[in-house]
Amino acid sequence: MGFHYPIIDMDASGMHLKDVCTEAGYTPQQLSQLLELSAPQAIYQWYRGRSLPSTDNLFALAKLLEKHMDELIVEQSSFEQEE
């Protein structure tokens, strides 16, 4: 079939989210306000690869950063999946 179930690389996704948000000029505090989060701790968790944004927050981030949702998440390489 050729289809491999995609697996999210949590650590790489967190680092990527941090890089994209920082390059766009947003601090975790600003993002927490824009996403109407109670505190920036959730964003720090995303950046550390401990959790991912909810679908709603991922959608909002993508719109804010003018990217597609799948551009914000990093997939494990097929080599890593085989290990």
Side-chain angles (χ1 to χ4, degrees):
M1 259 195 173
F3 177 78
H4 293 283
Y5 187 84
I7 298 173
I8 294 171
D9 186 322
M10 296 288 287
D11 291 333
S13 292
M15 288 186 285
H16 181 63
L17 273 173
K18 182 177 182 178
D19 290 345
V20 171
C21 292
T22 301
E23 287 173 14
Y26 293 105
T27 66
Q29 292 78 13
Q30 291 169 321
L31 289 172
S32 68
Q33 289 176 341
L34 291 166
L35 297 174
E36 299 180 2
L37 302 173
S38 59
Q41 279 74 14
I43 294 163
Y44 290 116
Q45 295 294 317
W46 303 342
Y47 287 178
R48 291 183 187 111
R50 294 196 178 131
S51 65
L52 291 171
S54 67
T55 305
D56 290 344
N57 286 331
L58 187 61
F59 183 71
L61 272 175
K63 291 290 187 184
L64 178 67
L65 300 168
E66 298 180 357
K67 304 228 177 251
H68 293 281
M69 289 170 59
D70 61 348
E71 292 179 272
L72 300 178
I73 301 299
V74 178
E75 181 180 351
Q76 275 186 357
S77 69
S78 56
F79 176 76
E80 290 173 333
Q81 290 179 30
E82 291 173 5
E83 292 180 354

